[in-house]
Amino acid sequence: DKDGMPKKGAEIDYNGQSAGYAQDPVEVQNYVDKHDNQTLFDNLIYKAPAGAELVRMQGVSLATAMLGQGIPFTHAGVELLRSKSMERDSYDSGDWYNKVDYTLGDNNFDKGLPRKDKDGDNYPLIEQVLGKHAKPGSAEMAQMVSFYQELAELRNSSRLLRLGSGAEVIKRVDFRNTGPDQVPGLIVMTVDDGVSVGADLDPAIDGLVVMINASNQSQSIGDFRDGNDQPIDLSGMVLGSKHRAVDSIASGAAYDNGQLTLGAWSAAVFVKPQNGAQGAGLPVSKKTDLSTLPPFGNTDVYLKGFLDPSFGDKNPLTFTSNFMYEFSAEVTAEQLGNTELKVADSGWSINYGSCNAGDKLVVGTPLTLCKGGETGNIGVDLAKAGSYKFVFTAMNKDKPTLSVSFTEPVQSCKVLDTVAGNPLGYNLFVKGELSGWNAQPQYQLSYKGMDGDLAIYQAAFNYAGSTEFKVANEDWSKEYLLNGGGAVNAETGYSFAFSKGGSANNSITLPQGLWSVLLKVDPAGVKAGTAVIQECSVK
């Protein structure tokens, strides 16, 4: 991940569920746009600055799917810079928005504002961004067709880009520009076909490198290491033969003196030719053991200065795993205010402080620390009473990071006042064995107001026993689960999101009491919400 911590895909949270869910890449469809939402071109219009190279941006976006190991799924017309004039949901909007012109005469951009019932809330933003970009002509559309064909031919050029097997991916695929020192905007994937990985899947090459540069400047990389942390010889690397000679998506691509270089907004496949028998190839790098030893060995380190003006040996940091140390503390109302701190050992031979004068640690944002901390201590504003958890990550001892998270103190439950309105537009009920799986009035969740972008709904009812349940509307066309399904506990916060019909239920066992089910849900259906079940008394 971005901090250099090795994690399995199943350990990465994606809206309350595991991001990694497949054994083999052939089980995964990768896409950057599809029919349900805006086209890729329209999304670029929303995001790109005036004068941006939209054609190259579109090509680079597609390269992430076309040159990846999963199965590429591309939206009809994406190779033509197809636009739906910013329409988000066009399944019933006719040819005015859905036209695809294969003659390259018109990409259907700027045909007027999209339907008000679909995108009325976006009108101010759409009007703002439309004036920043000119309508692409036939030449731009033809260039995009060429980029698409180039990517398709590159994917078909080597079995190494279509391994199919998860086991082969683990043996052969590595990502080289990762962790806290990564160059922003640059993806570098190597695929090994050398002697150490077994079968010679592509007799013409010993390995390949996919580079994707999603930035506005040329980027270079060359320090590749093998499993013994030894440099990999990149001499002889050449650009893949399927790249165009003129107007290629691999603009500025070159190998020179151990460095692979790629121009702005470009994608490239470099290959290491095989001469006769398999050579050394491009072996994957050393994989960090998740049970790695503490970075500072047996030396104790402390969060010195935290609620301690003496900066003594208090607040010990406990090594957990993956180069990380942790410290947690409950902060009371009397302790609120500003505090300063450093990470150090008892003798100050280990001493990390701020890199810049006035640096402050903010909840949810990791801060890079510097050795010696010559510019001073790190400020922390304790604005709320509750639990603060500090995580010190020293994978890179020259530039370790410190982060802090905050958890609200557990509050006694309260039945909130119902207010007028219903942002969801449909009624929600706790449905389960407790209700005969029906929409019973006593289990209806009533609207209680907004918390930012999230609408608050609550039901309170007397109950004792064990039950399976879901949250759903009357006709089951809308179903939700806590934490993706399975057993849940009272007094514990969970993610709350849509589920598919027929998916696993939640379950819970509760003693006799008045129980509140409180949800915070996004009416727009974009963000994952939260849910908590609490024993509650009317106040």
Short mmCIF file of all heavy atoms in Angstrom, two decimals, residues 183-249:
data_model
loop_
_atom_site.label_atom_id
_atom_site.label_comp_id
_atom_site.label_asym_id
_atom_site.label_seq_id
_atom_site.Cartn_x
_atom_site.Cartn_y
_atom_site.Cartn_z
N VAL A 183 6.89 7.64 -6.94
CA VAL A 183 6.73 8.83 -7.78
C VAL A 183 5.25 8.95 -8.13
O VAL A 183 4.69 8.05 -8.75
CB VAL A 183 7.58 8.71 -9.06
CG1 VAL A 183 7.36 9.92 -9.96
CG2 VAL A 183 9.05 8.54 -8.70
N PRO A 184 4.59 10.03 -7.76
CA PRO A 184 3.15 10.14 -8.03
C PRO A 184 2.84 10.07 -9.52
O PRO A 184 3.58 10.60 -10.35
CB PRO A 184 2.79 11.53 -7.47
CG PRO A 184 3.85 11.81 -6.46
CD PRO A 184 5.10 11.18 -7.00
N GLY A 185 1.74 9.39 -9.84
CA GLY A 185 1.27 9.35 -11.22
C GLY A 185 1.91 8.30 -12.09
O GLY A 185 1.58 8.21 -13.27
N LEU A 186 2.84 7.51 -11.55
CA LEU A 186 3.58 6.56 -12.38
C LEU A 186 3.32 5.14 -11.89
O LEU A 186 3.60 4.79 -10.75
CB LEU A 186 5.08 6.85 -12.32
CG LEU A 186 5.98 5.96 -13.20
CD1 LEU A 186 5.67 6.16 -14.67
CD2 LEU A 186 7.45 6.26 -12.92
N ILE A 187 2.74 4.30 -12.77
CA ILE A 187 2.53 2.88 -12.49
C ILE A 187 3.57 2.09 -13.28
O ILE A 187 3.73 2.30 -14.49
CB ILE A 187 1.12 2.43 -12.90
CG1 ILE A 187 0.06 3.19 -12.10
CG2 ILE A 187 0.95 0.93 -12.69
CD1 ILE A 187 -1.36 2.92 -12.57
N VAL A 188 4.29 1.20 -12.60
CA VAL A 188 5.32 0.39 -13.25
C VAL A 188 5.11 -1.06 -12.85
O VAL A 188 5.30 -1.43 -11.69
CB VAL A 188 6.74 0.85 -12.86
CG1 VAL A 188 7.78 0.03 -13.62
CG2 VAL A 188 6.92 2.33 -13.15
N MET A 189 4.70 -1.89 -13.80
CA MET A 189 4.48 -3.31 -13.56
C MET A 189 5.50 -4.13 -14.36
O MET A 189 5.67 -3.91 -15.56
CB MET A 189 3.07 -3.72 -13.98
CG MET A 189 2.77 -5.21 -13.81
SD MET A 189 1.08 -5.67 -14.31
CE MET A 189 1.26 -5.67 -16.11
N THR A 190 6.19 -5.06 -13.69
CA THR A 190 7.07 -5.97 -14.39
C THR A 190 6.46 -7.37 -14.38
O THR A 190 5.79 -7.77 -13.43
CB THR A 190 8.47 -6.02 -13.74
OG1 THR A 190 8.36 -6.47 -12.38
CG2 THR A 190 9.13 -4.66 -13.76
N VAL A 191 6.71 -8.12 -15.48
CA VAL A 191 6.26 -9.52 -15.58
C VAL A 191 7.48 -10.34 -15.99
O VAL A 191 8.08 -10.10 -17.04
CB VAL A 191 5.12 -9.68 -16.60
CG1 VAL A 191 4.58 -11.11 -16.54
CG2 VAL A 191 4.01 -8.69 -16.36
N ASP A 192 7.82 -11.31 -15.16
CA ASP A 192 9.05 -12.10 -15.34
C ASP A 192 8.79 -13.33 -16.21
O ASP A 192 7.77 -14.02 -16.06
CB ASP A 192 9.56 -12.53 -13.96
CG ASP A 192 10.90 -13.24 -14.03
OD1 ASP A 192 11.62 -13.05 -15.03
OD2 ASP A 192 11.24 -13.97 -13.08
N ASP A 193 9.71 -13.61 -17.12
CA ASP A 193 9.68 -14.86 -17.88
C ASP A 193 11.08 -15.45 -17.92
O ASP A 193 11.48 -16.09 -18.90
CB ASP A 193 9.16 -14.61 -19.30
CG ASP A 193 8.69 -15.91 -19.98
OD1 ASP A 193 8.26 -16.83 -19.26
OD2 ASP A 193 8.77 -15.99 -21.22
N GLY A 194 11.84 -15.20 -16.84
CA GLY A 194 13.21 -15.70 -16.75
C GLY A 194 13.27 -17.12 -16.23
O GLY A 194 12.26 -17.76 -15.92
N VAL A 195 14.49 -17.60 -16.09
CA VAL A 195 14.72 -19.01 -15.77
C VAL A 195 14.20 -19.39 -14.39
O VAL A 195 13.86 -20.55 -14.13
CB VAL A 195 16.23 -19.32 -15.90
CG1 VAL A 195 17.02 -18.58 -14.82
CG2 VAL A 195 16.49 -20.82 -15.84
N SER A 196 14.09 -18.43 -13.47
CA SER A 196 13.71 -18.77 -12.09
C SER A 196 12.23 -19.04 -11.90
O SER A 196 11.82 -19.51 -10.84
CB SER A 196 14.14 -17.64 -11.15
OG SER A 196 13.43 -16.44 -11.43
N VAL A 197 11.38 -18.72 -12.90
CA VAL A 197 9.93 -18.88 -12.71
C VAL A 197 9.36 -20.10 -13.44
O VAL A 197 8.14 -20.30 -13.45
CB VAL A 197 9.15 -17.62 -13.15
CG1 VAL A 197 9.39 -16.48 -12.20
CG2 VAL A 197 9.48 -17.23 -14.58
N GLY A 198 10.21 -20.90 -14.05
CA GLY A 198 9.71 -22.13 -14.65
C GLY A 198 9.44 -22.00 -16.14
O GLY A 198 10.31 -21.58 -16.91
N ALA A 199 8.21 -22.32 -16.55
CA ALA A 199 7.86 -22.41 -17.97
C ALA A 199 8.18 -21.12 -18.72
O ALA A 199 7.97 -20.02 -18.21
CB ALA A 199 6.38 -22.75 -18.11
N ASP A 200 8.68 -21.30 -19.94
CA ASP A 200 9.00 -20.17 -20.82
C ASP A 200 7.72 -19.81 -21.59
O ASP A 200 7.45 -20.35 -22.66
CB ASP A 200 10.12 -20.56 -21.77
CG ASP A 200 10.70 -19.38 -22.53
OD1 ASP A 200 10.17 -18.27 -22.34
OD2 ASP A 200 11.66 -19.58 -23.30
N LEU A 201 6.94 -18.89 -21.04
CA LEU A 201 5.63 -18.58 -21.61
C LEU A 201 5.73 -17.78 -22.90
O LEU A 201 4.83 -17.82 -23.74
CB LEU A 201 4.78 -17.83 -20.59
CG LEU A 201 4.45 -18.58 -19.29
CD1 LEU A 201 3.52 -17.75 -18.42
CD2 LEU A 201 3.83 -19.94 -19.59
N ASP A 202 6.80 -17.01 -23.05
CA ASP A 202 7.00 -16.23 -24.27
C ASP A 202 8.44 -16.41 -24.70
O ASP A 202 9.34 -15.74 -24.19
CB ASP A 202 6.68 -14.75 -24.03
CG ASP A 202 6.68 -13.94 -25.33
OD1 ASP A 202 7.34 -14.37 -26.30
OD2 ASP A 202 6.05 -12.88 -25.36
N PRO A 203 8.71 -17.32 -25.65
CA PRO A 203 10.10 -17.63 -26.04
C PRO A 203 10.85 -16.45 -26.64
O PRO A 203 12.07 -16.51 -26.76
CB PRO A 203 9.92 -18.75 -27.08
CG PRO A 203 8.57 -19.32 -26.81
CD PRO A 203 7.74 -18.18 -26.32
N ALA A 204 10.13 -15.38 -26.99
CA ALA A 204 10.80 -14.24 -27.62
C ALA A 204 11.40 -13.27 -26.60
O ALA A 204 12.29 -12.50 -26.93
CB ALA A 204 9.82 -13.49 -28.52
N ILE A 205 10.90 -13.28 -25.35
CA ILE A 205 11.36 -12.30 -24.38
C ILE A 205 11.55 -12.95 -23.01
O ILE A 205 10.95 -13.98 -22.69
CB ILE A 205 10.37 -11.10 -24.24
CG1 ILE A 205 9.00 -11.58 -23.78
CG2 ILE A 205 10.27 -10.33 -25.54
CD1 ILE A 205 8.01 -10.44 -23.53
N ASP A 206 12.41 -12.33 -22.20
CA ASP A 206 12.66 -12.79 -20.83
C ASP A 206 11.82 -12.03 -19.81
O ASP A 206 11.95 -12.27 -18.61
CB ASP A 206 14.13 -12.63 -20.48
CG ASP A 206 14.96 -13.83 -20.94
OD1 ASP A 206 14.36 -14.89 -21.15
OD2 ASP A 206 16.18 -13.67 -21.07
N GLY A 207 11.01 -11.11 -20.26
CA GLY A 207 10.17 -10.33 -19.36
C GLY A 207 9.76 -9.03 -20.01
O GLY A 207 10.27 -8.66 -21.08
N LEU A 208 8.80 -8.36 -19.39
CA LEU A 208 8.36 -7.07 -19.92
C LEU A 208 8.03 -6.11 -18.78
O LEU A 208 7.83 -6.52 -17.63
CB LEU A 208 7.16 -7.26 -20.86
CG LEU A 208 5.88 -7.90 -20.32
CD1 LEU A 208 5.03 -6.92 -19.53
CD2 LEU A 208 5.06 -8.45 -21.49
N VAL A 209 8.00 -4.84 -19.14
CA VAL A 209 7.67 -3.77 -18.19
C VAL A 209 6.55 -2.94 -18.78
O VAL A 209 6.65 -2.46 -19.92
CB VAL A 209 8.89 -2.85 -17.93
CG1 VAL A 209 8.51 -1.75 -16.93
CG2 VAL A 209 10.07 -3.65 -17.39
N VAL A 210 5.45 -2.80 -18.03
CA VAL A 210 4.38 -1.89 -18.40
C VAL A 210 4.54 -0.61 -17.60
O VAL A 210 4.59 -0.64 -16.37
CB VAL A 210 2.99 -2.50 -18.12
CG1 VAL A 210 1.89 -1.48 -18.40
CG2 VAL A 210 2.78 -3.75 -18.96
N MET A 211 4.66 0.52 -18.31
CA MET A 211 4.75 1.83 -17.65
C MET A 211 3.55 2.67 -18.06
O MET A 211 3.22 2.76 -19.25
CB MET A 211 6.04 2.56 -18.04
CG MET A 211 7.29 2.00 -17.40
SD MET A 211 8.77 2.98 -17.83
CE MET A 211 8.46 4.52 -16.97
N ILE A 212 2.90 3.27 -17.09
CA ILE A 212 1.78 4.17 -17.35
C ILE A 212 2.06 5.46 -16.61
O ILE A 212 2.19 5.48 -15.38
CB ILE A 212 0.45 3.56 -16.89
CG1 ILE A 212 0.16 2.27 -17.68
CG2 ILE A 212 -0.70 4.56 -17.06
CD1 ILE A 212 -1.08 1.54 -17.22
N ASN A 213 2.18 6.55 -17.36
CA ASN A 213 2.52 7.85 -16.78
C ASN A 213 1.29 8.76 -16.84
O ASN A 213 1.01 9.36 -17.88
CB ASN A 213 3.69 8.47 -17.53
CG ASN A 213 4.12 9.81 -16.92
OD1 ASN A 213 3.68 10.18 -15.84
ND2 ASN A 213 4.98 10.53 -17.63
N ALA A 214 0.57 8.85 -15.75
CA ALA A 214 -0.62 9.71 -15.69
C ALA A 214 -0.25 11.04 -15.06
O ALA A 214 -0.86 11.48 -14.08
CB ALA A 214 -1.72 9.02 -14.89
N SER A 215 0.75 11.68 -15.60
CA SER A 215 1.16 13.00 -15.12
C SER A 215 1.53 13.87 -16.32
O SER A 215 1.68 13.37 -17.43
CB SER A 215 2.35 12.88 -14.16
OG SER A 215 3.54 12.60 -14.86
N ASN A 216 1.70 15.15 -16.05
CA ASN A 216 1.96 16.09 -17.14
C ASN A 216 3.45 16.34 -17.38
O ASN A 216 3.83 17.35 -17.95
CB ASN A 216 1.25 17.42 -16.88
CG ASN A 216 1.72 18.07 -15.59
OD1 ASN A 216 2.59 17.55 -14.90
ND2 ASN A 216 1.14 19.22 -15.27
N GLN A 217 4.29 15.42 -16.91
CA GLN A 217 5.72 15.56 -17.18
C GLN A 217 6.35 14.19 -17.39
O GLN A 217 5.82 13.17 -16.96
CB GLN A 217 6.41 16.28 -16.01
CG GLN A 217 6.24 15.58 -14.68
CD GLN A 217 6.80 16.40 -13.52
OE1 GLN A 217 7.34 17.48 -13.72
NE2 GLN A 217 6.66 15.90 -12.32
N SER A 218 7.50 14.18 -18.06
CA SER A 218 8.22 12.94 -18.31
C SER A 218 8.68 12.32 -16.98
O SER A 218 9.02 13.03 -16.04
CB SER A 218 9.43 13.23 -19.20
OG SER A 218 10.17 12.07 -19.42
N GLN A 219 8.65 10.97 -16.90
CA GLN A 219 9.07 10.27 -15.69
C GLN A 219 10.04 9.17 -16.05
O GLN A 219 9.94 8.56 -17.12
CB GLN A 219 7.85 9.64 -14.99
CG GLN A 219 6.72 10.60 -14.69
CD GLN A 219 6.87 11.27 -13.33
OE1 GLN A 219 7.98 11.41 -12.82
NE2 GLN A 219 5.76 11.68 -12.75
N SER A 220 11.00 8.89 -15.13
CA SER A 220 11.99 7.83 -15.35
C SER A 220 12.10 6.95 -14.13
O SER A 220 11.84 7.37 -13.00
CB SER A 220 13.37 8.43 -15.66
OG SER A 220 13.35 9.19 -16.85
N ILE A 221 12.48 5.69 -14.35
CA ILE A 221 12.67 4.74 -13.26
C ILE A 221 13.65 3.68 -13.72
O ILE A 221 13.75 3.41 -14.91
CB ILE A 221 11.32 4.10 -12.83
CG1 ILE A 221 11.46 3.35 -11.51
CG2 ILE A 221 10.77 3.21 -13.93
CD1 ILE A 221 10.13 2.93 -10.92
N GLY A 222 14.40 3.09 -12.78
CA GLY A 222 15.36 2.09 -13.21
C GLY A 222 15.91 1.20 -12.11
O GLY A 222 16.54 0.20 -12.40
N ASP A 223 15.68 1.52 -10.85
CA ASP A 223 16.25 0.74 -9.76
C ASP A 223 15.33 -0.42 -9.41
O ASP A 223 14.56 -0.38 -8.46
CB ASP A 223 16.47 1.63 -8.53
CG ASP A 223 17.17 0.88 -7.40
OD1 ASP A 223 17.75 -0.17 -7.67
OD2 ASP A 223 17.10 1.36 -6.24
N PHE A 224 15.40 -1.49 -10.20
CA PHE A 224 14.60 -2.69 -9.95
C PHE A 224 15.46 -3.68 -9.18
O PHE A 224 16.63 -3.91 -9.52
CB PHE A 224 14.14 -3.34 -11.25
CG PHE A 224 13.20 -2.49 -12.08
CD1 PHE A 224 12.83 -2.90 -13.34
CD2 PHE A 224 12.71 -1.29 -11.60
CE1 PHE A 224 11.97 -2.12 -14.11
CE2 PHE A 224 11.84 -0.50 -12.36
CZ PHE A 224 11.48 -0.92 -13.62
N ARG A 225 14.88 -4.32 -8.15
CA ARG A 225 15.62 -5.27 -7.32
C ARG A 225 14.98 -6.64 -7.36
O ARG A 225 13.75 -6.77 -7.49
CB ARG A 225 15.64 -4.77 -5.87
CG ARG A 225 16.28 -3.40 -5.70
CD ARG A 225 17.76 -3.52 -5.49
NE ARG A 225 18.44 -2.23 -5.57
CZ ARG A 225 19.67 -2.02 -5.10
NH1 ARG A 225 20.33 -3.02 -4.51
NH2 ARG A 225 20.23 -0.85 -5.22
N ASP A 226 15.79 -7.69 -7.23
CA ASP A 226 15.26 -9.04 -7.22
C ASP A 226 14.97 -9.50 -5.79
O ASP A 226 15.05 -8.70 -4.84
CB ASP A 226 16.21 -10.00 -7.94
CG ASP A 226 17.57 -10.13 -7.24
OD1 ASP A 226 17.70 -9.74 -6.05
OD2 ASP A 226 18.52 -10.63 -7.89
N GLY A 227 14.67 -10.78 -5.61
CA GLY A 227 14.31 -11.30 -4.31
C GLY A 227 15.43 -11.30 -3.30
O GLY A 227 15.20 -11.45 -2.09
N ASN A 228 16.67 -11.12 -3.75
CA ASN A 228 17.82 -11.00 -2.85
C ASN A 228 18.24 -9.57 -2.68
O ASN A 228 19.35 -9.29 -2.19
CB ASN A 228 18.99 -11.84 -3.39
CG ASN A 228 18.67 -13.31 -3.42
OD1 ASN A 228 18.12 -13.86 -2.46
ND2 ASN A 228 19.00 -13.98 -4.53
N ASP A 229 17.38 -8.65 -3.09
CA ASP A 229 17.64 -7.22 -3.00
C ASP A 229 18.86 -6.79 -3.83
O ASP A 229 19.53 -5.81 -3.51
CB ASP A 229 17.82 -6.78 -1.54
CG ASP A 229 17.54 -5.29 -1.35
OD1 ASP A 229 16.70 -4.75 -2.09
OD2 ASP A 229 18.16 -4.66 -0.47
N GLN A 230 19.10 -7.53 -4.91
CA GLN A 230 20.19 -7.18 -5.81
C GLN A 230 19.64 -6.49 -7.05
O GLN A 230 18.53 -6.79 -7.50
CB GLN A 230 20.96 -8.44 -6.22
CG GLN A 230 21.66 -9.13 -5.07
CD GLN A 230 22.66 -8.21 -4.37
OE1 GLN A 230 23.55 -7.65 -5.02
NE2 GLN A 230 22.50 -8.05 -3.07
N PRO A 231 20.40 -5.54 -7.65
CA PRO A 231 19.91 -4.82 -8.83
C PRO A 231 19.64 -5.78 -10.00
O PRO A 231 20.36 -6.75 -10.20
CB PRO A 231 21.06 -3.86 -9.17
CG PRO A 231 21.86 -3.77 -7.91
CD PRO A 231 21.74 -5.08 -7.22
N ILE A 232 18.60 -5.49 -10.75
CA ILE A 232 18.27 -6.26 -11.96
C ILE A 232 18.86 -5.53 -13.16
O ILE A 232 18.69 -4.32 -13.32
CB ILE A 232 16.75 -6.40 -12.11
CG1 ILE A 232 16.18 -7.26 -10.98
CG2 ILE A 232 16.38 -7.00 -13.46
CD1 ILE A 232 14.66 -7.35 -10.98
N ASP A 233 19.54 -6.28 -14.01
CA ASP A 233 20.15 -5.71 -15.22
C ASP A 233 19.06 -5.43 -16.25
O ASP A 233 18.40 -6.35 -16.74
CB ASP A 233 21.18 -6.69 -15.77
CG ASP A 233 21.86 -6.15 -17.03
OD1 ASP A 233 21.73 -4.95 -17.31
OD2 ASP A 233 22.52 -6.96 -17.72
N LEU A 234 18.88 -4.17 -16.59
CA LEU A 234 17.87 -3.78 -17.58
C LEU A 234 18.48 -3.55 -18.97
O LEU A 234 17.76 -3.12 -19.88
CB LEU A 234 17.15 -2.51 -17.13
CG LEU A 234 16.34 -2.60 -15.82
CD1 LEU A 234 15.65 -1.27 -15.54
CD2 LEU A 234 15.33 -3.72 -15.87
N SER A 235 19.74 -3.82 -19.12
CA SER A 235 20.38 -3.57 -20.42
C SER A 235 19.69 -4.40 -21.50
O SER A 235 19.28 -5.54 -21.27
CB SER A 235 21.86 -3.91 -20.37
OG SER A 235 22.06 -5.27 -20.06
N GLY A 236 19.56 -3.82 -22.66
CA GLY A 236 18.91 -4.50 -23.77
C GLY A 236 17.42 -4.29 -23.85
O GLY A 236 16.78 -4.76 -24.80
N MET A 237 16.83 -3.58 -22.87
CA MET A 237 15.40 -3.33 -22.91
C MET A 237 15.05 -2.49 -24.14
O MET A 237 15.75 -1.53 -24.48
CB MET A 237 14.93 -2.58 -21.65
CG MET A 237 15.10 -3.34 -20.35
SD MET A 237 14.01 -4.76 -20.14
CE MET A 237 12.40 -4.00 -20.09
N VAL A 238 13.97 -2.88 -24.81
CA VAL A 238 13.52 -2.14 -26.00
C VAL A 238 12.01 -1.94 -25.91
O VAL A 238 11.31 -2.64 -25.19
CB VAL A 238 13.88 -2.88 -27.31
CG1 VAL A 238 15.38 -2.97 -27.48
CG2 VAL A 238 13.23 -4.26 -27.33
N LEU A 239 11.52 -0.99 -26.68
CA LEU A 239 10.10 -0.73 -26.74
C LEU A 239 9.41 -1.86 -27.50
O LEU A 239 9.92 -2.37 -28.50
CB LEU A 239 9.85 0.60 -27.43
CG LEU A 239 8.49 1.27 -27.24
CD1 LEU A 239 8.21 1.55 -25.77
CD2 LEU A 239 8.41 2.57 -28.04
N GLY A 240 8.24 -2.29 -27.02
CA GLY A 240 7.50 -3.36 -27.67
C GLY A 240 7.24 -3.08 -29.14
O GLY A 240 6.95 -1.94 -29.54
N SER A 241 7.32 -4.13 -29.97
CA SER A 241 7.25 -3.96 -31.42
C SER A 241 5.87 -3.50 -31.90
O SER A 241 5.74 -3.02 -33.04
CB SER A 241 7.62 -5.27 -32.12
OG SER A 241 6.69 -6.30 -31.76
N LYS A 242 4.84 -3.65 -31.10
CA LYS A 242 3.49 -3.27 -31.52
C LYS A 242 3.19 -1.79 -31.32
O LYS A 242 2.11 -1.32 -31.68
CB LYS A 242 2.45 -4.11 -30.78
CG LYS A 242 2.53 -5.59 -31.08
CD LYS A 242 2.33 -5.89 -32.57
CE LYS A 242 2.39 -7.37 -32.86
NZ LYS A 242 2.19 -7.66 -34.29
N HIS A 243 4.12 -1.07 -30.72
CA HIS A 243 3.93 0.38 -30.61
C HIS A 243 4.03 1.04 -31.98
O HIS A 243 4.82 0.61 -32.84
CB HIS A 243 4.96 0.99 -29.67
CG HIS A 243 4.62 0.85 -28.22
ND1 HIS A 243 3.54 1.48 -27.65
CD2 HIS A 243 5.21 0.14 -27.22
CE1 HIS A 243 3.48 1.16 -26.36
NE2 HIS A 243 4.48 0.35 -26.07
N ARG A 244 3.22 2.07 -32.20
CA ARG A 244 3.24 2.80 -33.46
C ARG A 244 4.57 3.56 -33.61
O ARG A 244 5.15 4.03 -32.64
CB ARG A 244 2.09 3.81 -33.52
CG ARG A 244 0.70 3.18 -33.38
CD ARG A 244 0.32 2.42 -34.65
NE ARG A 244 -1.11 2.20 -34.73
CZ ARG A 244 -1.72 1.06 -34.41
NH1 ARG A 244 -1.02 0.05 -33.95
NH2 ARG A 244 -3.03 0.95 -34.54
N ALA A 245 5.00 3.70 -34.84
CA ALA A 245 6.21 4.47 -35.10
C ALA A 245 5.94 5.96 -35.02
O ALA A 245 6.82 6.76 -34.68
CB ALA A 245 6.77 4.11 -36.48
N VAL A 246 4.69 6.37 -35.35
CA VAL A 246 4.32 7.77 -35.34
C VAL A 246 3.06 7.94 -34.49
O VAL A 246 2.14 7.12 -34.55
CB VAL A 246 4.05 8.29 -36.78
CG1 VAL A 246 3.62 9.75 -36.75
CG2 VAL A 246 5.29 8.11 -37.65
N ASP A 247 3.04 8.99 -33.69
CA ASP A 247 1.87 9.31 -32.86
C ASP A 247 1.48 8.12 -31.98
O ASP A 247 0.31 7.74 -31.89
CB ASP A 247 0.69 9.74 -33.72
CG ASP A 247 -0.33 10.56 -32.91
OD1 ASP A 247 0.04 11.06 -31.83
OD2 ASP A 247 -1.48 10.66 -33.35
N SER A 248 2.46 7.55 -31.32
CA SER A 248 2.22 6.41 -30.46
C SER A 248 1.71 6.85 -29.09
O SER A 248 1.97 7.97 -28.65
CB SER A 248 3.52 5.61 -30.28
OG SER A 248 3.40 4.64 -29.27
N ILE A 249 1.01 5.95 -28.42
CA ILE A 249 0.61 6.23 -27.04
C ILE A 249 1.82 6.23 -26.12
O ILE A 249 1.76 6.71 -24.99
CB ILE A 249 -0.45 5.22 -26.56
CG1 ILE A 249 -1.16 5.77 -25.32
CG2 ILE A 249 0.15 3.85 -26.30
CD1 ILE A 249 -2.41 5.02 -24.94
#
